[in-house]
């Protein structure tokens, strides 16, 4: 039997970490060859050769260097360059992850060339069409031939949109695979000891969504809520957000320790040693659960509704009082429910691709 040839499209550091788990499963199986394409959507200074080596991630075979600019421009430029790679590589499948512009561009380029598309993290919905990620998710799912779904909720969402049948597979969440793989490699940030904060006695916070960082009223509410939480807060902050805070003259409380952005392994360490996580990140919401930490989500909705239903995550928006109250009331969570599978999603993804019949004549299913 000839090997299946896959082109994997990724454009941001979290996607590389997810793709690394699947790449390990691909190499272990031996029946698939993989070419990795980095669109360059997110420039990350941490993604050096050392990053790939330490994280056991295969280096990209193609660097497209398409980042920055408005959403339409970025997606269009990515689509054009991805199409050229696909014409050169002639893969049997194109594999895309999540909900970035790179995800949509990869799916569209493949679909227009009649190359089957497999979508990891299919079926997620926030039901907020103002989010670019929501548009990317929906369109990618409807362009895909194999939908690799992390949760039962994802299955229900797809069924409501008429996407059912053998091309929909419940595989669990590949982020759980990654969290368990990297947990033993996690490293304490060099600066942690200088903060004078005890392990297990701090809030770990991340803020990055434009709805929070570009809206001064929401940003003020979040920072006020963190200041009133009664615990020291570690806040890795992007320079762009720090600039917004500085220009607006917002004074950050002494209890909030602003630090530079951290690498993934440092983030895992901070997650495993905090008391509670406050975030607006979809990925960090899940990582909180994986590491047994309560999560206070500073958004008005989430695509990970099963965490809210299970009582391990709470949506608080940007309301200062709600943020501080829920941080104070947080307690250890039960993570034995296996909401996201058993950390074996990568192997199931590989098997699903191998088992899935290729659409006849390369036509889209």
């Amino acid at each position: 039997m000839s090997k299946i040839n896959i082109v994997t499209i990724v454009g941001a550091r979290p996607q590389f970490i997810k793709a690394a788990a699947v790449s390990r499963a691909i190499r272990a199986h031996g029946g698939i060859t993989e070419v990795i394409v980095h669109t360059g959507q997110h420039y990350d200074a941490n993604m050096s050769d050392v990053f790939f080596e330490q994280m056991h991630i295969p280096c990209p075979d193609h660097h497209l260097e398409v980042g920055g600019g408005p959403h339409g421009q970025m997606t269009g430029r990515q689509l054009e360059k991805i199409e050229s790679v696909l014409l050169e590589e002639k893969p049997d499948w194109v594999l895309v992850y999540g909900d970035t512009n790179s995800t949509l561009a990869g799916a569209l380029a493949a679909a227009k060339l009649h190359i089957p598309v497999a979508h990891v993290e299919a079926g997620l919905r926030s039901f907020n069409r103002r989010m670019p990620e929501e548009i990317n998710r929906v369109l990618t799912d409807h362009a895909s031939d194999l939908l690799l779904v992390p949760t039962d909720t994802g299955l229900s969402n797809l069924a409501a949109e008429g996407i059912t049948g053998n091309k929909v597979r419940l595989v669990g969440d590949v982020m759980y695979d990654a969290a368990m793989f990297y947990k033993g490699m996690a490293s304490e940030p060099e600066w942690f000891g200088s903060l004078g904060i005890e392990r297990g006695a701090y809030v770990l916070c991340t803020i990055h969504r434009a709805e929070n960082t570009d809206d001064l009223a929401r940003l003020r509410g979040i920072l006020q809520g963190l200041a009133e939480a009664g615990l020291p807060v570690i806040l890795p902050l992007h320079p762009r957000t720090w600039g917004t805070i500085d220009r607006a003259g917002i004074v950050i409380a002494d209890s909030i320790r602003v630090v530079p952005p951290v690498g993934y392994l440092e983030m895992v360490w901070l997650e495993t040693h905090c008391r509670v996580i406050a975030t607006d990140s979809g990925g960090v919401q899940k990582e909180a659960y994986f590491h047994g930490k309560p999560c206070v989500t500073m958004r008005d909705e989430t695509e990970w509704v099963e965490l809210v239903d299970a009582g391990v995550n709470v949506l608080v928006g940007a309301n200062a009082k709600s943020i501080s109250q829920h941080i104070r009331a947080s307690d250890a969570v039960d993570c034995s429910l296996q909401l996201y599978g058993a950390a074996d999603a990568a192997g199931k993804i590989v098997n699903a691709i191998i088992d899935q019949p290729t659409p006849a004549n390369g036509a889209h299913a």
Side-chain angles (χ1 to χ4, degrees):
M1 178 180 175
S2 60
K3 286 191 174 184
I4 297 173
N5 300 314
I6 290 179
V7 165
T8 294
I9 309 291
V10 282
R13 185 174 57 158
Q15 291 179 321
F16 271 100
I17 293 165
K18 298 169 195 174
V22 177
S23 292
R24 283 191 292 273
I26 286 173
R27 295 194 299 272
H29 186 278
I32 302 177
T33 60
E34 182 184 33
V35 170
I36 299 176
V37 178
H38 180 14
T39 66
Q41 175 168 339
H42 292 170
Y43 172 75
D44 190 332
N46 288 319
M47 286 183 63
S48 62
D49 290 343
V50 173
F51 167 79
F52 290 101
E53 181 180 343
Q54 290 179 341
M55 301 288 287
H56 300 269
I57 296 174
C59 289
D61 300 281
H62 296 271
H63 294 262
L64 305 186
E65 300 180 351
V66 180
H71 284 284
Q73 180 189 83
M74 181 194 296
T75 306
R77 291 172 59 214
Q78 289 174 350
L79 197 159
E80 179 182 8
K81 290 199 171 187
I82 291 169
E83 182 179 63
S84 296
V85 172
L86 298 183
L87 289 170
E88 175 187 341
E89 296 290 350
K90 298 180 174 58
D92 300 303
W93 284 90
V94 168
L95 184 61
V96 296
Y97 289 81
D99 55 18
T100 67
N101 291 338
S102 301
T103 308
L104 179 59
L108 289 176
K112 290 177 180 294
L113 292 173
H114 308 297
I115 300 170
V117 178
H119 183 203
V120 177
E121 291 190 334
L124 304 187
R125 297 292 184 268
S126 69
F127 301 102
N128 179 0
R129 291 294 182 95
R130 291 181 61 84
M131 294 173 59
E133 295 90 347
E134 182 77 353
I135 301 301
N136 292 342
R137 292 181 197 120
V138 173
L139 295 180
T140 298
D141 280 344
H142 284 265
S144 295
D145 301 276
L146 181 59
L147 296 103
L148 302 158
V149 185
T151 65
D152 290 324
T153 303
L155 292 178
S156 299
N157 290 339
L158 292 174
E161 296 173 13
I163 305 176
T164 58
N166 188 53
K167 71 178 186 177
V168 180
R169 306 287 186 92
L170 179 65
V171 296
D173 196 318
V174 74
M175 273 191 69
Y176 191 19
D177 297 33
M180 296 302 99
F181 180 81
Y182 291 117
K183 188 173 183 178
M185 302 181 191
S187 55
E188 177 181 334
E190 294 180 358
W191 43 259
F192 182 81
S194 67
L195 297 182
I197 294 175
E198 294 182 13
R199 297 183 184 187
Y202 62 88
V203 181
L204 175 62
C205 179
T206 70
I207 313 168
H208 80 277
R209 288 191 178 272
E211 64 194 73
N212 288 328
T213 61
D214 293 350
D215 185 322
L216 288 180
R218 290 183 68 93
L219 191 55
R220 290 180 191 275
I222 288 170
L223 292 172
Q224 181 183 343
L226 294 172
E228 296 172 355
L231 286 171
V233 178
I234 295 178
L235 175 59
L237 200 61
H238 192 280
R240 177 178 174 273
T241 306
W242 178 249
T244 299
I245 292 170
D246 186 51
R247 287 190 298 274
I250 299 174
V251 178
I252 297 181
D254 292 340
S255 61
I256 301 175
R257 317 296 176 84
V258 177
V259 298
V262 297
Y264 179 73
L265 294 179
E266 291 179 325
M267 186 65 178
V268 171
W269 190 93
L270 291 168
E271 288 169 342
T272 57
H273 291 89
C274 71
R275 175 178 163 182
V276 56
I277 291 174
T279 187
D280 60 8
S281 162
V284 174
Q285 290 174 56
K286 287 189 297 177
E287 288 169 359
Y289 175 74
F290 298 154
H291 298 304
K293 306 298 178 179
C295 188
V296 176
T297 296
M298 300 175 297
R299 286 171 55 186
D300 300 320
E301 71 285 308
T302 179
E303 53 275 24
W304 303 107
V305 294
E306 57 280 339
L307 292 172
V308 177
D309 293 341
V312 300
N313 186 4
V314 59
L315 294 173
V316 295
N319 181 275
K321 183 177 181 180
S322 186
I323 291 169
S324 61
Q325 284 182 341
H326 283 287
I327 288 176
R328 290 174 182 270
S330 62
D331 202 357
V333 299
D334 177 11
C335 299
S336 63
L337 302 175
Q338 288 200 346
L339 297 175
Y340 299 104
D344 58 356
K348 290 182 177 179
I349 287 169
V350 171
N351 290 333
I353 292 172
I354 290 173
D355 294 342
Q356 186 75 1
T358 302
N361 300 320
H364 217 55

